[in-house]
Every structure is written in structure tokens, then in C-alpha cells.
Amino acid sequence: MNFARAIVRPPGPNFADGLTSAGDGAPDFALALGQHRDYCAALEGCGLALTRLDPDPAFPDGTFVEDTAIVTPRGAILTRPGAPTRSGEIVSVGRVLPALFTRVLSIDAPGTVDGGDVCEADGHYFIGVSARTNPSGAAQLRVHLQTLGYTASLVDIRASRALLHLKTGVAYLGDGVWVVAAAVEDELGSMGLDARHDVIRVPPQEGYAANCVRVNDRVLVPAGHPGIAAAITDRGLEPLPLEMSEFRKMDGGLSCLSLRFA
Ligand code: CIR
């Protein structure tokens, strides 16, 4: 899918108060801001125009905008994030979506969905059922995506405690190329991925880089993961390494810092 726009939100000064299980210590705010600036510059360098939301001190995890909406060429779906401390993040995102999308649908209680659980591949949407996206939310999202003319299927990752979201462990890079972390390997069959597919298997020491993002001609990858970068290069794609250390401390991956759309 070709992208022309993205929504981003820089981290706020209380970014360190967000949710995390990483155990890597508190993020450095100045460093996080610099890494976010570089991330935005990378998106712009790939040709995207950015809609920048303001940080809101009420939501220290608000920089992870991907979790608040599913954005498709035919419409957007405002989520209902699964972590109670994040539920209010959708208010400010919901304000900008109507100007950018002809249709805006939403997830209702008791459903919860985090956008990080949604992986699009050539018009099909895989929806992870996780600790954040519950069966009701996943079912509602599938119906919304079908209403928009897409196909969708559910992938239950609740047994994989190592995965916060489906996209923590899987990325689709287009042109038939997948990136899959060991924690998701058991799900490959349920996703219909088999020997016919080109799957880059991510070694455990590079597991964080399974969350990479194709943006037009480039693939954004976390810096410091040479094996994945080389595998991407082997496929004729060009990796664009970005330093993500401070977001990683808050369980955040590359994809979660933006909502990308055509
Ligand atoms: C959270 O736990 O919700 C945030 N600290 C990290 C969210 C990361 N989101 C994503 O990977 N899509």
C-alpha cells in the first residue's frame, strides 16, 4: 500500500509514566523527543505529509497513536484501547479523523481493540486477539472491515505472553514478504502462511525488529538489528534504521508511533 499521510503525536514530558513491562529503566525524555523527531523526518523523507497532534499530559502513552485507530483507504475505525489508562486517547484522534476520511466507524463497549493488533496484507486484515483486543472488539472490527469491503480474520495470540500486540511479532512488507518473530511461529498456520510465502524469520536476539514498517520505497527498522536489515536488503528492499531505544523502554515499537494512510 502506498502512503501519502500519517498522524503522529510526540511524547509528552510525563512519557515515563506510561505502561511498560520492559524493565529497562525510565526513558530519557529529551532523547525520546529527538528519536521522535527523526522518526517524523523519516516519514516525511518517504513522502508523507504529517498531521501532528499535541501531547496530552492525561495520556502518557498517547505517542503510540497506532493503537487508537485502524486507517484504511475506504475509511477509518476509531478503536477502544484495551488499557483503561489509554481509553481517552481516542478523543483527540477522533477529532481529526473526519477531515481525513470519508467514513469513520468505531468500536463499542464491551469491545476493546488496540491498533497494534491489526496487520494489513494486500487488503486482508489479520486481527490479533490479545490481552488488549478482546473477542468482542475483534468481532466488531471484522464486521466494520467487511462493511468497508475488506476481508479479515482473527489470530488468537493470548497464549503468547511475549507479545503485547500481533504486530509486536509480525509485519507484512508487501510484495509477498513477511517478517515473523519466533513468538508468532505457532500462528503461521492459522494465518495461512506456509512454504509458499516468503517469511523472514526473526532470531530471538533481534525479536524487537519484527515490528518494522514498509513505507513506500523504504522499510523502517529499529537500529541495531543487522540480521533483519540484511534480510530486507536481500529482498531488494531498502531498510531505513531508526533509533528506538526510549520507546522500546515503554514497550513501543516502530509501527505504533504513527497511523499511516493513502
Ligand atoms: C502500552 O503499553 O500501551 C504502551 N506503553 C505501548 C504501546 C505500544 N503500541 C504498539 O506497539 N502498537
Side-chain angles (χ1 to χ4, degrees):
M1 192 187 297
N2 246 53
F3 298 126
R5 305 191 62 105
I7 298 171
V8 293
R9 181 186 336 246
N14 64 345
F15 173 53
D17 296 338
L19 301 169
T20 184
S21 61
D24 288 337
D28 179 290
F29 176 55
L31 211 50
L33 268 187
Q35 290 177 1
H36 195 270
R37 263 195 299 272
D38 292 346
Y39 180 93
C40 292
L43 292 180
E44 289 177 324
C46 293
L48 276 60
L50 302 185
T51 298
R52 296 168 190 267
L53 304 179
D54 291 328
D56 180 340
F59 302 108
D61 277 315
T63 189
F64 302 118
V65 283
E66 180 182 62
D67 293 323
T68 59
I70 315 304
V71 289
T72 84
R74 299 176 192 152
I77 299 147
L78 198 60
T79 68
R80 225 178 137 255
T85 55
R86 301 197 58 192
S87 56
E89 291 175 23
I90 58 168
V91 175
S92 53
V93 175
R95 272 191 216 113
V96 298
L97 293 181
L100 299 166
F101 294 90
T102 45
R103 289 186 80 170
V104 180
L105 306 169
S106 56
I107 302 294
D108 297 323
T112 61
V113 171
D114 273 15
D117 276 314
V118 182
C119 180
E120 186 268 344
D122 299 331
H124 181 83
Y125 287 79
F126 293 98
I127 305 169
V129 178
S130 69
R132 298 287 180 85
T133 297
N134 68 16
S136 164
Q140 290 181 47
L141 179 58
R142 175 158 57 178
V143 170
H144 284 334
L145 288 166
Q146 288 167 341
T147 301
L148 294 175
Y150 298 108
T151 56
S153 54
L154 309 193
V155 186
D156 193 338
I157 60 163
R158 285 174 291 184
S160 304
R161 288 283 155 209
L163 294 177
L164 175 60
H165 293 120
L166 177 62
K167 272 191 299 198
T168 309
V170 57
Y172 180 62
L173 301 186
D175 301 323
V177 180
W178 291 83
V179 179
V180 175
V184 188
E185 293 219 352
D186 289 348
E187 303 307 331
L188 291 183
S190 71
M191 293 177 70
L193 297 181
D194 56 29
R196 292 168 302 168
H197 295 88
D198 183 4
V199 176
I200 298 174
R201 289 171 196 269
V202 183
Q205 69 275 16
E206 294 203 14
Y208 179 68
N211 183 266
C212 51
V213 188
R214 170 92 178 256
V215 181
N216 301 341
D217 293 336
R218 306 294 299 270
V219 181
L220 277 48
V221 287
H225 298 82
I228 300 304
I232 288 168
T233 305
D234 283 348
R235 268 73 180 180
L237 296 166
E238 197 180 350
L240 197 171
L242 289 169
E243 192 50 69
M244 288 290 295
S245 63
E246 304 317 291
F247 297 101
R248 184 175 184 170
K249 289 175 184 171
M250 300 308 293
D251 289 346
L254 255 174
S255 69
C256 52
L257 291 179
S258 59
L259 283 162
R260 306 154 298 278
F261 50 102

